[in-house]
Amino acid sequence: MLYQMEPIPGTDKALRKQLTAQALERLSAQQLPIRENKLPVIVLIEGWSAAGKGSLISKLIRDLDPRFYNVISFDNPTETESRRPWLWRYFTHIPEYGKLEFLDSGWVEQTMRDRVSGRLDKNQFQKRLDSIKRFERQLCDDGYLVVRFFLNISRKEQKRRINRLLDNKDTMWRVSEFDRWQNEHYKECEAVYDEILEATQSSYHPWHLIDATDTKEALPVVSHILSEAIDGAMKQKPVSGQPGGVFSLLPSPPISTVDLSPSISEDEYKTQLKACQKRLKELHNKIYRKRIPVIIAYEGWDAAGKGGNIRRIANSLDARGFEVLPIASPTPDELRHQYLWRFWNRLPKDGHVAIFDRTWYGRVMVERIEGFCTDEQWQRAYTEINEFEQELMDWGAVVVKYWIHIDSDTQLERFQNRQNTPEKRWKITDEDWRNREKWSQYEVAVNDMLQKTSTAAAPWYIIESKDKRYARIKAMKILIEAIEKALVD
Amino acid sequence: MLYQMEPIPGTDKALRKQLTAQALERLSAQQLPIRENKLPVIVLIEGWSAAGKGSLISKLIRDLDPRFYNVISFDNPTETESRRPWLWRYFTHIPEYGKLEFLDSGWVEQTMRDRVSGRLDKNQFQKRLDSIKRFERQLCDDGYLVVRFFLNISRKEQKRRINRLLDNKDTMWRVSEFDRWQNEHYKECEAVYDEILEATQSSYHPWHLIDATDTKEALPVVSHILSEAIDGAMKQKPVSGQPGGVFSLLPSPPISTVDLSPSISEDEYKTQLKACQKRLKELHNKIYRKRIPVIIAYEGWDAAGKGGNIRRIANSLDARGFEVLPIASPTPDELRHQYLWRFWNRLPKDGHVAIFDRTWYGRVMVERIEGFCTDEQWQRAYTEINEFEQELMDWGAVVVKYWIHIDSDTQLERFQNRQNTPEKRWKITDEDWRNREKWSQYEVAVNDMLQKTSTAAAPWYIIESKDKRYARIKAMKILIEAIEKALVD
């Protein structure tokens, strides 16, 4: 291994016992400040099979209050997990603000396995490393403290431990096929671990390589490092200082210059609608069969006709294979996590279609304008969003984003119409009128959003919706084309 | 089949079209009142493979607003689901109050499959039917409207449809092995379906058997029945009028008569603690291997020593195989579902241990006393809780329930001690003092709870905790015995 071992205290038994007690006491005393400072802490324990990851965690939590921490143990992805982006199981499991979370191995072990087994070729492995780096940086930028340990044992020591487990019928089930395989292919695994640790090394959450030959010796060391990191983060919130991914962006003219005159006749609409719906139905079968996920993002002005537009697409699809996800303001639980968490939690299975009625772009629109997040947060969000969509596309998803567009006069007309029609009145609220007053602020935000997130791979499509029928047909045609393209690739 | 077919309108095409449009319009108009009345509606569409369940649902939702409904399609249980009680996937997916949910087959199809494949023997099949009845009754009593349809087609028609799907390469994936098998064993399946439908027939949500030979004819019929049921439920909330399960109860003397003098010496405590923790560790391995789930429920007076008691058990266990679940007051999301929903959502995988720090008994304790639910609700809860625990035990779980007991004087002493010790002060809140004033009300509730839910299969264990050390050892010994018993069975 390329890394420097952490120093470990001498083997004096009494001293070690005392050091351990002190270290665990310190950790216990940090629980309350962690909660009060709303600091989320991820303790990632990676390392060799049989290195004692689980038992180390059991000892670390000995004096902790169960209300303040979680232990999550990741094994091979379940079926549910393997039908989502690889990062899904980790992102959906990040702790809430003010909680400690111990991970019994995580993205490092999985990536090592995927690489050694050949499920990732060289190129995909590089992409995976990038994905890990993005993930850890996003967590850090959101104030998450990630403390990372790698428990190291030699091949010989690993063999000894595996044999000891196999000797007892109550523990032999703990030894998996993979554990034995790993011992036989220790050198190969070591080389991949080295690559991953080197590539993901960083100043804001350094790797701590721990000699785990003697678990009792490792405990006070790990505990001490962890407590120091927590104290550090409490004094100064972690910041990665890293800029994040760079994306190739398409030019976006100001939204006010969009020509809203395109329209379509009633007859033409009926004919085209029928043809589009038939085609979408066929394509839905195909993507289901090929397990291609489709993510459709709807944003637009109030009363622009999002609902009717969504319904025309939804009506073309088999109800068993799609979901419409209306996005309201975040719940208290959602507010206690990184803001993309709630969207990760809503991702569909592969082969399924998810239609988001409003989206993760709320961060750079309503949250920006209403001051629900800081300037730093919404400014950083453009990159985070581009990275999120990148992750979806790397998974194999078709991502289509619509801005349903009308002008201010048209909105006024439709608002008044809703107000004056009894069975439509529930569709219009005081909040709609208040938002309308902020039209010009929203216009600035929309232009910024289109300019900064219209990536070459996931561009925004402006849907002119003064004529709602025209808008529906245009959206359907774009979707059809995007799916057809994915089926060919 | 034994059931009366629903009448279907004549085959006049124009008339049918008009009826369909009217029916769907009526359903659409019911969305807002459903939301306003907070009525949860489950539309269960069961029936033969290829009977058109999915396409019927697609048509029913045509004019509905996606924010008001969900479609859930159940196939074979996933790995995550198969490691939980059979009912888990259904209970965790009930809709929130004020929403419509369409199920593309559910517990009836699964039960038919399990029976025909032999996964359920005759006796287990009867238990399953009881479980379905309990589930549907609990939903009804909580105000859920469950509208149940069975789409019927003949063996010949089924064969014709399967062949048509197989003829097209884009639809052939829709035909599963099971579908073909079902067609070959139509008679056997029919007999089991008959048994299930008969056993679960009820006056408060009757089965609607629909001739699905012509889907276009079925649509207005189904839609009409559904709308009628919704209107009915809006006028008068559904009530099952059924008493629920009868349980053999153990005698429970009043809690005030418990002798709190038992204690243990420091030395004896240390010796026994070590022995118990060693034994629990061994047993944890065994249950993990045999995939036996363990559910531990902790209730007790404030400051009785629940936390320390839990920690001694938790410290004996491998961190990867247990979880401590602190139960706080329900979130807004949880309040929009039947009250047991949040506990179903927290059930562990088989082979894992879940320690609940406060439990589903909140309904008959704090919710009763603080008036957070109606008298009818908490009075009905005793039976619902017994049924819930029955479900856990039928799954194979070890269920252990502790009441951690002290007297009022001891509580006062501990409260004052917390108040006067700076590093313990955060453990005591104004609410604790307010609860203390209601000691006698709680005492009534505790006695009621012990009397009504100390079932022969899942009794309450009173843990005398004036001496906390004594309490810890007693709880551990009870747990050890319960697990040992399960391992022998």
Side-chain angles (χ1 to χ4, degrees), chain A residues 114-247:
Chain A
D114 288 347
R115 176 62 182 130
V116 174
S117 68
R119 279 191 294 273
L120 293 178
D121 66 23
K122 214 171 159 147
N123 190 21
Q124 291 165 321
F125 178 61
Q126 284 309 320
K127 270 197 170 177
R128 173 69 66 85
L129 295 177
D130 290 342
S131 173
I132 292 176
K133 283 190 272 186
R134 285 195 298 261
F135 172 50
E136 295 185 338
R137 195 205 76 241
Q138 284 196 7
L139 289 178
C140 180
D141 285 344
D142 195 54
Y144 281 74
L145 172 65
V146 185
V147 192
R148 305 183 301 169
F149 298 95
F150 187 94
L151 303 195
N152 199 22
I153 51 174
S154 69
R155 182 176 184 172
K156 213 171 129 192
E157 174 66 15
Q158 189 184 41
K159 176 127 207 160
R160 202 181 62 77
R161 293 188 187 185
I162 288 175
N163 286 338
R164 205 180 46 199
L165 288 170
L166 289 173
D167 282 349
N168 179 339
K169 81 168 177 21
D170 282 334
T171 56
M172 59 188 275
W173 59 269
R174 284 180 178 273
V175 179
S176 68
E177 271 305 306
F178 182 82
D179 297 341
R180 297 194 217 198
W181 188 94
Q182 191 185 58
N183 192 252
E184 278 160 35
H185 301 76
Y186 186 95
K187 282 279 158 202
E188 276 167 78
C189 297
E190 189 179 33
V192 176
Y193 268 139
D194 271 351
E195 271 192 86
I196 302 173
L197 267 57
E198 253 187 279
T200 60
Q201 184 59 302
S202 85
S203 54
Y204 49 96
H205 45 224
W207 273 108
H208 301 284
L209 192 78
I210 305 292
D211 182 344
T213 314
D214 186 333
T215 319
K216 289 204 179 86
E217 287 190 353
L219 180 61
V221 180
V222 168
S223 181
H224 175 75
I225 293 171
L226 179 55
S227 285
E228 285 290 303
I230 292 170
D231 268 357
M234 224 102 75
K235 278 190 207 105
Q236 193 176 358
K237 282 239 166 187
V239 182
S240 75
Q242 302 292 316
V246 176
F247 292 83

Side-chain angles (χ1 to χ4, degrees), chain B residues 307-344:
Chain B
N309 204 302
I310 289 173
R311 210 153 64 232
R312 295 320 180 286
I313 288 182
N315 284 346
S316 327
L317 307 175
D318 185 320
R320 287 165 294 189
F322 82 90
E323 213 179 341
V324 177
L325 299 143
I327 301 301
S329 42
T331 65
D333 190 37
E334 288 169 345
L335 287 171
R336 282 192 291 267
H337 292 87
Q338 203 261 18
Y339 82 101
L340 285 172
W341 180 75
R342 64 189 187 121
F343 302 104
W344 278 96

Side-chain angles (χ1 to χ4, degrees), chain A residues 255 299-306 358 403-407 411 438-440 442-443 446:
Chain A
I255 196 73
E299 290 285 354
W301 299 106
D302 287 334
K306 277 203 319 300
R358 303 208 179 276
W403 175 260
I404 310 297
H405 192 57
I406 49 173
D407 55 29
Q411 188 188 55
K438 295 179 183 166
W439 182 284
S440 60
Y442 271 99
E443 197 167 301
V446 172

Side-chain angles (χ1 to χ4, degrees), chain B residues 374-472:
Chain B
T374 67
D375 288 355
E376 191 273 325
Q377 284 176 322
W378 65 258
Q379 282 160 6
R380 152 161 61 83
Y382 297 109
T383 302
E384 289 170 339
I385 286 172
N386 287 340
E387 290 178 333
F388 172 57
E389 293 174 358
Q390 178 68 52
E391 209 66 59
L392 300 180
M393 289 180 289
D394 284 348
W395 170 41
V398 174
V399 177
V400 179
K401 309 185 300 199
Y402 298 122
W403 175 258
I404 310 296
H405 191 56
I406 49 172
D407 55 29
S408 173
D409 291 349
T410 308
Q411 189 187 54
L412 182 60
E413 205 177 289
R414 292 186 187 168
F415 273 15
Q416 284 166 342
N417 175 271
R418 286 179 178 184
Q419 200 85 58
N420 300 332
T421 317
E423 60 276 21
K424 285 187 186 168
R425 205 167 291 149
W426 63 274
K427 286 177 113 180
I428 181 108
T429 64
D430 290 352
E431 208 190 322
D432 293 330
W433 288 106
R434 276 197 301 275
N435 284 340
R436 185 175 155 72
E437 280 167 29
K438 295 180 182 164
W439 182 284
S440 61
Q441 278 173 273
Y442 270 99
E443 197 168 301
V444 172
V446 172
N447 283 330
D448 282 351
M449 172 183 87
L450 296 175
Q451 271 165 35
K452 292 180 182 183
T453 61
S454 217
T455 58
W460 276 101
Y461 293 100
I462 310 294
I463 306 293
E464 302 84 349
S465 191
K466 195 162 176 179
D467 177 5
K468 288 183 187 180
R469 291 185 302 236
Y470 173 84
R472 291 170 195 160

Side-chain angles (χ1 to χ4, degrees), chain A residues 32 35 54 57-58 61-67 71 73 78-80 104 169-171 173-174 285-286 288-289 311 315 317-320 324 326 426, chain B residues 32 54 57-58 61-67 71 73 78-80 104 169-171 173-174 285-286 288-289 311 315 317-320 323-324 326 426:
Chain A
L32 201 59
R35 192 175 62 166
I57 293 175
S58 298
I61 62 177
R62 205 187 64 192
D63 297 337
L64 301 183
D65 185 321
R67 282 166 296 180
V71 178
S73 180
T78 62
E79 190 218 337
T80 310
D104 181 358
K169 81 168 177 21
D170 282 334
T171 56
W173 59 269
R174 284 180 178 273
N285 271 325
K286 285 185 207 278
Y288 197 105
R289 193 158 51 104
R311 211 156 61 234
N315 284 347
L317 308 175
D318 185 319
R320 286 165 294 189
V324 177
W426 64 274
Chain B
L32 202 59
I57 294 174
S58 297
I61 62 177
R62 205 188 63 191
D63 296 337
L64 301 183
D65 185 321
R67 282 167 297 182
V71 178
S73 178
T78 62
E79 190 218 337
T80 310
D104 180 357
K169 82 169 177 15
D170 282 333
T171 55
W173 59 269
R174 283 180 179 272
N285 271 325
K286 284 184 206 279
Y288 197 105
R289 192 156 52 102
R311 210 153 64 232
N315 284 346
L317 307 175
D318 185 320
R320 287 165 294 189
E323 213 179 341
V324 177
W426 63 274

Side-chain angles (χ1 to χ4, degrees), chain B residues 128-139:
Chain B
R128 173 68 66 86
L129 295 177
D130 289 342
S131 173
I132 293 175
K133 283 191 270 186
R134 286 195 297 261
F135 172 49
E136 295 185 337
R137 195 205 76 241
Q138 284 195 8
L139 289 178

Side-chain angles (χ1 to χ4, degrees), chain B residues 48 152-159 183 186 211 213:
Chain B
W48 295 97
N152 200 22
I153 51 174
S154 69
R155 183 176 183 170
K156 213 170 129 194
E157 174 66 14
Q158 189 184 40
K159 176 126 205 160
N183 191 252
Y186 187 95
D211 182 344
T213 314

